[in-house]
Amino acid sequence: MSSDQLISALGADDEGLRHLRRVPPRRSARTAWPEWVPEEVRRALSETGIVEPWPHQAEAATHAFEGRDVVVATGTASGKSLAYLLPVLTEAALDCEGRTLYLAPTKALAADQARAVGEFDVGGLIPAIVDGDTPYEHRQWAQRFANLVFSNPDLVHHSMLPRHRFWRSLLSNLKYVVVDECHIYRGVFGAHVALTLRRLLRLAEHYGASPTVVAASATAAEPAASLTTLTGRPAVQVTADSSPSPGASIALWEPETHLIEGEPQKASTLSETARMLAQLVQRGVRTLAFVPSRRGAEIVAAEAKSRLGADPAAERIAAYRAGYLREHRRDLEADLREGRLLGVATTNALELGIDVTGLDAVVLCGYPGRLASFWQQVGRAGRGETEALAIMLAKDDPLDTYLVHHPEAIFERPVEASVCDPSNPYVLAGHLCLAAEELPLREADLASIPGSREVAEELCERKLLRRRPGGRYYWVGSERPEVTLRGSGPMGIDIAEISTGRLIGTVDAAASHRLVHNGALYLHQGESYLVDELDLDDGIALVHAAKPPWTTSAQEITHLEILSTREVREMGAVTMCLGEVEVTTNVISYQRRRIPTGEVIDTQLLDLPPQTLRTVAVWWTVEPEALAGVADLTGALHAAEHASIGLLPLIATCDRWDIGGLSTAAHPDTELPTVFVYDGHPGGAGFAEQAFRKWTDWLGATRDAIDSCDCKAGCPSCIQSPKCGNGNEPLDKTGSIQVLGVVLEADDGRPPTVIEIAKPTEAAPKEEEDDLWPGDF
């Protein structure tokens, strides 16, 4: 069926289709092999169907071969892998001693690349996978013999660099470092990876090597600058995509709205996603449904199968997410790749990873938070000359509602640049300690990172480093510092069935407070489990299978303290600020809600320890006199906070789960009505700063989104939040429009006042749920 026929079959007549954009097909261009590619490599590639390269492949590969750091940033399925494979295969075919370290953000992607490389018959190529699943003896063999090692930053950080003397053979001959899907390395995680890469390059230099970095990225703004941020070295970029594309029809769809007790309410986005997935699979259309949460992926897969009933196609639908055991994930990946599965409801775990290009359709259950992710997910569909179908279903969320009614914000806006700050002192301190423990730090090692010398001196005061004559810093701590790349706390919580001891899955430590607290209902592959006990000390949640007629939602309270102010913009009755804050959250209870009505059955108290986060926030205050006409000030500020969090991803490279907020009619530190929006990562991730710089665009879009919503008193499409710890009470839609109007009218166009920064003394741990987690590295 054509895309138009599929859209019609899915129910375009119900007026849910808000916008349809045609992406035209693109013809491929071919070019000759670079002269430096030996005949053996050309023959091996031609045997796998690669007769000639596309120009962007040849250009990027030549940059790498000639020793220039390069990033190839082209679309999904554009053959970016050949940019690093050509010089690597050439090195092997010529029997040279150069070795390559390939780094992927997930083990699945590294394994899939290793599988693809295994198809090339090039003499001298000795590939090996080294990750957390690799037996010790295989790892020893790879250290000595493999000239193409597939791994991930976590293993480099936790194993290779601390034991660099065992890896001396690889490091001393390291010619290429491949950084795949480098756009993933953003925010605090990106800062950790950047510092890990710099430690790797530093040790390679110590052993006499000078490797070239070859990176691949989804289409992104300023990819060369992003790679330079990761490595601290200049880089060139290749962005002209010369690969073929069958084109795509991209539909922006809003679930049908029904009147319930006089109020318009949208159909559940999860339910609509399940409906579309079931209908597409029933028609034999190979489909991925991207769902923003692990729980949501389970619900969509289960409901899609239920809708098909006894139809055999129901057995060809599954969920895929992080938290599954490794063997289970690999089975699902093979079933999808080989066509045994027709439909998969997945988190962003399949946004990158195994080669699943060549699908017929993708359904996005809501905007994924970033344009780069949007285009990456859309690009998963399309094979041969068959036009791809991509549908984005708008969630009940201010940003999604805004986007389906303003499609130019998707199709006429450039992809975001990755935000990454290796100089974040919360991240930098630990890596300076690690680097000094691996090899004494020199002044040159500190020169490329602003603020690193000051952080090193602070570490000396804390008796962790010692500065010796000659300017070198030595590690003098008693134990090697513990630094995890994807968070500051424990690695995770195991989930086990209490009757059998069977391990079901894992969940991040901080997310466990919300997802597997005592009494929580936990979903796994369509099966539901009740949590009997969460033991944070032993890192385990004990569960039993159950199917109660209710679901659970955690409730939390938040306290925020201003620590310091960086910049201030004073505009009469309104003041806009940027600075450091300390946020303390505590999950105090959970509600049981009846299925399917959502009626609250009861509220159960919990006894969980508080979690503290020191981070960066943007906040604004208003003099009470300017808000005299607002009837419910607390509800108005609360509604403005929710909506502004929902719209921040429009101007910052984040999604609403990366940020948090707090509003109050009289905050203790300001003594004024105040709204805070803060980064959900220790030390900040740059999101609040972008909000401060573009506050009129941000809050203007927020006010417009609330004002244009058809509801009377507020709904999830404008001011209600799925992560509100107060049950979305109180909220005042009309008042929020008034408050935002007062703030926007105060803009005087003057630059902000810069204030000397008083830095917090230490970082507090916080874990974020992330489905790009590679497991035990």
Side-chain angles (χ1 to χ4, degrees):
M1 298 177 70
S2 68
S3 294
D4 288 338
Q5 290 172 321
L6 286 173
I7 290 172
S8 178
L10 290 172
D13 293 339
D14 67 3
E15 300 182 356
L17 183 63
R18 295 287 176 257
H19 182 78
L20 183 62
R21 180 65 60 103
R22 307 284 187 185
V23 177
R26 181 180 62 239
R27 292 181 177 274
S28 67
R30 292 289 181 178
T31 189
W33 292 108
E35 293 182 0
W36 50 267
V37 179
E39 182 58 36
E40 181 183 356
V41 173
R42 302 184 194 192
R43 183 176 62 254
L45 292 172
S46 66
E47 289 174 355
T48 65
I50 306 174
V51 180
E52 289 180 315
W54 295 314
H56 67 269
Q57 295 172 319
E59 181 185 354
T62 299
H63 280 303
F65 180 77
E66 294 176 352
R68 290 182 288 273
D69 286 4
V70 59
V71 53
V72 52
T74 51
T76 307
S78 59
K80 294 185 285 290
S81 297
L82 201 62
Y84 82 84
L85 279 174
L86 276 180
V88 170
L89 294 177
T90 296
E91 188 78 6
L94 297 178
D95 202 22
C96 299
E97 296 183 354
R99 301 174 74 176
T100 299
L101 178 61
Y102 168 96
L103 301 176
T106 66
K107 288 190 291 189
L109 177 54
D112 199 60
Q113 284 287 300
R115 180 188 57 80
V117 167
E119 298 176 1
F120 299 131
D121 183 18
V122 174
L125 182 66
I126 309 173
I129 299 175
V130 178
D131 58 28
D133 299 322
T134 305
Y136 177 70
E137 59 274 15
H138 292 183
R139 193 175 299 192
Q140 282 187 308
W141 180 88
Q143 290 170 354
R144 297 178 58 190
F145 301 113
N147 55 13
L148 175 52
V149 174
F150 293 91
S151 191
N152 53 65
D154 303 78
L155 184 125
V156 171
H157 167 70
H158 287 287
S159 182
M160 184 179 292
L161 299 184
R163 300 170 181 83
H164 58 87
R165 291 170 185 83
F166 294 99
W167 289 92
R168 179 170 184 168
S169 176
L170 173 72
L171 293 169
S172 62
N173 292 288
L174 195 58
K175 183 156 188 179
Y176 298 107
V177 175
V178 180
V179 185
D180 208 352
E181 303 288 3
C182 66
H183 62 284
I184 292 298
Y185 304 126
R186 58 181 180 266
V188 172
F189 174 47
H192 277 297
V193 172
L195 293 168
T196 300
L197 286 173
R198 294 175 190 223
R199 287 163 47 211
L200 170 67
L201 295 172
R202 173 175 174 260
L203 285 174
E205 179 188 358
H206 170 71
Y207 286 113
S210 180
T212 299
V213 178
V214 188
S217 169
T219 303
E222 302 178 350
S226 296
L227 181 58
T228 294
T229 301
L230 288 176
T231 63
R233 310 184 338 177
V236 295
Q237 64 188 40
V238 175
T239 58
D241 193 338
S242 49
S243 64
S245 169
S249 288
I250 304 176
L252 304 184
W253 202 299
E254 198 166 24
E256 188 175 356
T257 301
H258 305 279
L259 284 177
I260 300 178
E261 296 181 357
E263 275 289 304
Q265 291 190 17
K266 291 180 183 177
S268 162
T269 314
L270 289 175
S271 183
E272 279 291 277
T273 303
R275 177 182 70 83
M276 289 188 174
L277 178 61
Q279 291 182 357
L280 289 167
V281 167
Q282 195 172 38
R283 289 170 170 79
V285 179
R286 294 182 62 195
T287 306
L288 274 185
F290 285 100
V291 187
S293 71
R294 301 177 185 182
R295 184 187 183 96
E298 298 283 359
I299 291 171
V300 167
E303 185 174 335
K305 295 176 75 168
S306 176
R307 284 175 176 270
L308 291 178
D311 191 320
E315 299 305 315
R316 303 180 71 181
I317 295 176
Y320 183 99
R321 61 173 175 81
Y324 289 167
L325 300 181
R326 176 181 180 272
E327 295 77 11
H328 190 189
R329 291 199 307 271
R330 295 297 175 264
D331 288 344
L332 289 170
E333 291 161 8
D335 288 345
L336 177 60
R337 185 170 54 244
E338 296 167 19
R340 290 186 290 273
L341 283 175
L342 272 179
V344 174
T346 179
T347 57
N348 63 350
L350 285 183
E351 181 180 314
L352 61 152
I354 66 168
D355 182 9
V356 294
T357 54
L359 300 170
D360 300 303
V362 293
V363 179
L364 280 61
C365 182
Y367 180 63
R370 303 171 181 88
L371 276 177
S373 292
F374 174 87
W375 289 112
Q376 185 85 352
Q377 292 178 8
V378 166
R380 284 303 187 190
R383 54 177 170 171
E385 298 181 358
T386 303
E387 183 187 53
L389 172 64
I391 299 172
M392 190 192 89
L393 277 162
K395 299 191 302 289
D396 258 354
D397 176 276
L399 178 58
D400 285 41
T401 303
Y402 181 89
L403 291 174
V404 295
H405 291 280
H406 298 82
E408 68 279 2
I410 290 178
F411 298 108
E412 298 172 21
R413 191 160 59 101
V415 174
E416 314 92 344
S418 295
V419 177
C420 172
D421 181 15
S423 65
N424 181 335
Y426 293 87
V427 178
L428 181 58
H431 284 272
L432 288 182
C433 290
L434 292 171
E437 194 268 347
E438 292 154 4
L439 198 69
L441 282 169
R442 306 163 300 175
E443 287 289 337
D445 297 326
L446 304 175
S448 66
I449 306 176
S452 58
R453 189 169 287 102
E454 291 81 355
V455 173
E457 292 297 332
E458 289 179 9
L459 292 170
C460 290
E461 293 175 9
R462 294 167 57 187
K463 309 257 187 264
L464 295 174
L465 297 184
R466 178 177 297 163
R467 192 170 189 267
R468 297 272 176 88
R472 293 197 174 195
Y473 294 85
Y474 290 78
W475 168 250
V476 293
S478 57
E479 296 180 357
R480 183 176 172 85
E482 292 187 14
V483 177
T484 60
L485 300 192
R486 303 174 191 250
S488 306
M491 298 290 282
I493 301 291
D494 290 332
I495 303 167
E497 194 169 29
I498 194 168
S499 60
T500 64
R502 179 173 65 96
L503 184 64
I504 294 173
T506 61
V507 66
D508 295 340
S512 67
H513 289 221
R514 293 181 287 106
L515 300 179
V516 289
H517 56 75
N518 292 353
L521 188 67
Y522 177 76
L523 296 180
H524 180 88
Q525 271 297 326
E527 299 295 326
S528 58
Y529 298 84
L530 273 176
V531 179
D532 296 296
E533 181 185 358
L534 170 61
D535 189 330
L536 293 171
D537 292 331
D538 290 339
I540 191 166
L542 299 175
V543 304
H544 70 271
K547 293 186 177 181
W550 40 260
T551 185
T552 58
S553 59
Q555 296 179 297
E556 64 184 22
I557 57 173
T558 303
H559 171 75
L560 187 148
E561 178 185 357
I562 297 174
L563 299 176
S564 63
T565 305
R566 291 183 183 179
E567 297 182 56
V568 174
R569 192 185 296 270
E570 295 182 340
M571 303 169 291
V574 176
T575 301
M576 187 76 58
C577 302
L578 178 72
E580 283 77 20
V581 298
E582 181 176 84
V583 184
T584 303
T585 58
N586 196 182
V587 176
I588 58 169
S589 62
Y590 69 95
Q591 289 183 334
R592 294 193 303 165
R593 292 178 175 267
R594 202 178 308 279
I595 299 173
T597 63
E599 173 193 357
V600 176
I601 299 173
D602 59 17
T603 300
Q604 302 285 336
L605 297 179
L606 293 170
D607 183 16
L608 290 167
Q611 297 170 303
T612 305
L613 169 71
R614 292 194 176 189
T615 185
V616 176
V618 57
W619 67 91
W620 42 269
T621 63
V622 186
E623 295 292 338
E625 295 78 11
L627 301 174
V630 179
D632 178 4
L633 182 56
T634 301
L637 294 169
H638 193 196
E641 173 217 329
H642 279 184
S644 62
I645 289 173
L647 267 294
L648 182 54
L650 190 66
I651 58 100
T653 54
C654 64
D655 57 45
R656 73 182 307 155
W657 299 97
D658 287 324
I659 47 185
L662 179 75
S663 58
T664 175
H667 190 269
D669 292 337
T670 64
E671 300 181 346
L672 292 169
T674 311
V675 173
F676 296 88
V677 174
Y678 57 84
D679 294 352
H681 301 271
F687 310 138
E689 184 169 353
Q690 290 182 73
F692 182 79
R693 302 280 174 242
K694 304 174 183 177
W695 73 272
T696 53
D697 293 339
W698 169 41
L699 295 184
T702 301
R703 182 184 61 180
D704 292 346
I706 301 173
D707 193 31
S708 62
C709 188
D710 294 333
C711 70
K712 295 179 182 178
C715 68
S717 293
C718 57
I719 62 173
Q720 293 179 4
S721 169
K723 49 188 288 196
C724 180
N726 297 316
N728 284 298
E729 293 290 343
L731 293 174
D732 181 358
K733 177 180 178 179
T734 302
S736 68
I737 297 171
Q738 292 176 271
V739 168
L740 289 167
V742 170
V743 175
L744 289 163
E745 289 167 7
D747 180 24
D748 58 8
R750 289 185 296 177
T753 301
V754 179
I755 295 178
E756 184 178 352
I757 302 172
K759 292 183 179 178
T761 56
E762 61 182 72
K766 187 176 191 297
E767 288 281 341
E768 293 292 328
E769 183 176 351
D770 181 4
D771 266 8
L772 298 178
W773 178 252
D776 298 326
F777 53 88

